[in-house]
Amino acid sequence: MTSSPSSPRGAGRGSRRAAPVGHAAMRSANLSLLLRHLHTRGGRSRATLAQETGLSKASVTSLVSDLAELGLVQEGQVERRGTVGRPGTEVRISPQHVAGIGLELNVDYLAVCLRDLAGEVRFTSSVPMPYELDATVADGRSYPPGLVLDHVAQQLAESLEVASRKGLWVAGVTIAPPGPIDYEGVSVRVAANLGWTDVPIGEELAARLGPEHPALSLENDAKLSALAEAPRLARRGITDLVYLTGDMGVGAGIIAEGRLIRGWSGFSGEVGHIGLDPAGVACRCGRRGCWETMVGFDTVLAVLDEGDPARSGRLPMLERLEHLRVLLEAGDPRLHERFTRLVDDLVRGIGVLVDVLNPQAIVLGGYFGYFADLLVGRVQSALDARLLATDGRVEVSGSVLGLEAAASGGAAAALERVLEDPLLAPPLSTDASV
Ligand SMILES: [Zn+2]
């Protein structure tokens, strides 16, 4: 089960209800406490829940009954742990009522993930950017927001339909656009790789999805990927990590002491534009020698022939990567040389991040993650060689979530709304009575 280590405050912020007061506020907080405890720790008996949360057994019984009426928990098996007294029946998160949707809007593809509250992935899809855009693209990099958002809305409508068929109420949708976000306005400020400035994604999608749409929020793809990856590392005691996405651009999701670092205005992690070479190549952002001009996916594609299938935006990303893999395995010297330089260039940037943030782990995602077998060991050795202090060693690994990491993290972030306020879930009984 994947859960986020901290509450992603941006998710659903605009639509959160006013906090109830007094007794009601206490009850709501305790419902959240129990639900989050079950979500993080897994199924356990009412007696164990009382022991671990400090709530009385009577309170736990009553709160669990409320959560069950909301369709958020269900009875499981008899608990088999060393508790004193009669073994109790486990209470566990129900996978049957509530779900969240994450969508990654990338310059190459759209990935959607539908997850239930118990953490199971119930539906995913990944499609290339639509063909019809080709006719309107002036410079190969500027995509008309209207057309792209039509396509996004279509993908969302499809996953909402799937959720509805499965009897799942969707708590929220978190979309990851490729650029810095205005959280209050639910818009993307700049998406250099799409050629967008100030596109009100939330408003545009709300208009397309109609009045019954779930709460829409935005979060950065690297931040969501970091949230999706963090539980795996937290189980091994790793609470400080940097997740790097490798695509046309490069971004980072930074988790420090188990919490996502968003920065004062949400701009943390724009590491692709760290200037590493003042005399370097011009970047899409207008500066020169940014890190992503050295390690972005197009620097790999640039060594291939013009008509090479890996360069075709019409193919799904995974197929393009698989094609590159075939070329590498066939010993393509241009790619081997490019990957050797890529390791050096990755280490230059990661070295800066390590010196500034002192993380325990660096997780390579996106295309870096797909080629983890070629990159992780070499990046690790180079980082070890430049170590300043012996206890500052950073562990490098490849993401295990593949190209859907951000969408998966987006679904988890959307579910945070219900973990934070379980009363948002529509009671099960209303389905039948209305
Ligand atoms: Zn730049």
Side-chain angles (χ1 to χ4, degrees), residues 272-275 281-293:
H273 301 287
I274 292 176
V281 180
C283 179
R284 283 180 285 265
C285 74
R287 295 182 228 152
R288 279 195 174 274
C290 294
W291 191 24
E292 69 183 40
T293 66

Side-chain angles (χ1 to χ4, degrees), residues 203-235:
E203 199 181 296
E204 294 280 336
L205 287 178
R208 285 165 172 80
L209 291 171
E212 298 298 312
H213 69 81
L216 296 162
S217 56
L218 301 186
E219 186 52 282
N220 169 272
D221 61 337
K223 291 185 179 76
L224 290 177
S225 301
L227 284 175
E229 201 77 43
R232 171 178 75 87
L233 294 164
R235 283 193 286 273

Side-chain angles (χ1 to χ4, degrees), residues 26 35 43 47 78 86 102 114 133 149 158 212-213 239 242 263 279 319 321 328 358 362 401 416 420 434:
M26 177 71 82
L35 191 64
V78 173
R86 269 189 315 132
L114 171 76
L133 286 177
L149 293 174
E158 190 192 334
E212 298 298 312
H213 69 81
T239 54
V242 176
E319 273 180 42
L321 292 170
L328 274 160
N358 183 209
I362 298 280
L401 294 169
E416 273 290 323
E420 192 68 25
V434 176

